[in-house]
Amino acid sequence: NAQIAGFAVAVTAVTVVLIAIWPVLEVYRPLAERRASFGAAGRAATGSPRTGRLRATLSTLQLALAFVVTTSAVLFVASLRTVAKLDHGFAPAGVLTLRFDLPRTGYDGPRARALYDALLREVGAIPGVASADIARSLPLDATAGGTAATIDLSLPDGQGGRGTGLEYNAVGPAYFRTLGVEVAHRLGGSGNPAVGAVPVVVTREAARQFWPGRDPVGQSIHEFLLPGLSGAWKRGEIVGVAPDIQYGVPGSRPTPGVYVSYADDPPSLAALLVKSSGEPSQIVPPIRAALRRLDPQLVLHSAKTMDERVREVSSATRFGSLVLGAYASVALVIALVGVYSVIAFGVRYLDIGAITR
């Protein structure tokens, strides 16, 4: 905002004049001119104990402010480095992301599942592709989906009982490997038809909240909603625990979540993740061609690397830290000049007082 920036600049300029420039200019005025203006009142003030205490107090305040500003500047720099090194729960290097949407008509669950399987086979055959997978939501996506669940009927409502909210993602068997995340179990295939359960992988935060001190693998979720093309309430059978991957605002507290296989709940809005052994941008044209061969009406869009996504979501925080760091640096310089000016001002006038006396 131009008005805010202008106001800040004006206040800074006035501050500089008041605590720095005027004392410096006063100190470097010609000695004869200062001696003439000093006069008897100056001699009296120089020798006054009150004036000496005032100068000592002013110098102490300047030194204290300089110390505070210096500490703040160091903390801002440390915060900036922390933001740059936030652990988002996955390895973004070499990962390309693209999106495509299935039309409302023409794709039900089985057709979507067949399309995703075929697309992954086509993309996997492209030179330079190390792994690829389909996902409903991408990491660091503020619009990541959620679902309603009942973990256990004995738990309080909203805290594991009825009406509990969970982060939700439908992914393929290579999702975690593509993101460089270690998970003991790979999601794939369909749920157990004998019991009607869906295999799920829960996040560490979900395990901590709902199964504290216990191994959640082998436990069950009473029921949860499959919000994709399946659109049904199912019982969940926990087959693994995944690290907490960041889907919301960077640095925010992890929230409980579940992963299911896209074979059990194909999403209508899908994302394609591709791990490349070379430059990710070079494999975008062959990936688009592969999708056109399967369905010419579908269009891949929003092609970005995961590194670009990381930079985008952290840009606001990094910009704020840079601005605050810049102001802290300016304030530090002003404080240092002010300390020098006050001390030099007092020393020069003491000298003049001695000369006039």
Side-chain angles (χ1 to χ4, degrees), residues 261-280:
S261 171
Y262 73 70
D264 291 306
D265 189 29
S268 58
L269 306 179
L272 177 64
L273 297 90
V274 183
K275 177 75 171 181
S276 172
S277 58
E279 174 57 41

Side-chain angles (χ1 to χ4, degrees), residues 87-333:
D87 182 11
H88 303 294
F90 64 94
V95 179
L96 176 70
T97 65
L98 307 98
R99 288 188 176 277
F100 62 99
D101 308 332
L102 299 182
R104 294 182 178 272
T105 58
Y107 276 96
D108 56 8
R111 286 199 62 188
R113 184 163 47 246
L115 173 70
Y116 297 153
D117 291 343
L119 179 60
L120 291 180
R121 288 194 298 270
E122 292 275 347
V123 173
I126 297 174
V129 172
S131 64
D133 212 342
I134 296 291
R136 182 177 188 264
S137 301
L138 289 170
L140 303 178
D141 188 351
T143 61
T147 189
T150 301
I151 305 297
D152 192 325
L153 289 171
S154 64
L155 296 175
D157 291 352
Q159 301 178 27
R162 296 187 185 278
T164 298
L166 297 175
E167 278 187 347
Y168 176 85
N169 205 351
V171 301
Y175 176 77
F176 298 111
R177 178 162 56 89
T178 303
L179 289 176
V181 176
E182 293 293 334
V183 178
H185 183 87
R186 292 198 319 160
L187 284 169
S190 59
N192 190 332
V195 296
V198 174
V200 301
V201 168
V202 298
T203 62
R204 287 177 182 167
E205 182 64 19
R208 186 190 66 81
Q209 288 193 25
F210 305 129
W211 298 276
R214 293 184 292 166
D215 185 3
V217 176
Q219 304 289 334
S220 63
I221 297 175
H222 179 72
E223 64 176 0
F224 70 103
L225 177 65
L226 301 176
L229 293 176
S230 296
W233 288 84
K234 289 286 186 178
R235 177 173 170 267
E237 195 72 26
I238 300 175
V239 297
V241 180
D244 293 309
I245 296 175
Q246 190 78 62
Y247 287 96
V249 179
S252 60
R253 182 177 177 178
T255 56
V258 294
Y259 295 89
V260 305
S261 171
Y262 73 70
D264 291 306
D265 189 29
S268 58
L269 306 179
L272 177 64
L273 297 90
V274 183
K275 177 75 171 181
S276 172
S277 58
E279 174 57 41
S281 60
Q282 295 180 355
I283 61 175
V284 173
I287 292 175
R288 295 186 189 277
L291 184 61
R292 281 196 300 269
R293 287 194 296 270
L294 297 172
D295 188 339
Q297 296 183 346
L298 299 181
V299 178
L300 286 169
H301 60 89
S302 304
K304 294 179 182 178
T305 65
M306 214 34 110
D307 285 323
E308 291 174 336
R309 292 185 177 277
V310 170
R311 287 194 295 270
E312 285 179 359
V313 298
S314 61
S315 60
T317 307
R318 287 188 292 109
F319 177 75
S321 299
L322 284 171
V323 170
L324 291 174
Y327 272 107
S329 301
V330 173
L332 174 61
V333 172

Side-chain angles (χ1 to χ4, degrees), residues 38-52 353 356-357:
F38 197 75
R43 287 194 296 273
T46 304
S48 169
R50 175 183 292 181
T51 304
T356 55
R357 286 196 294 270

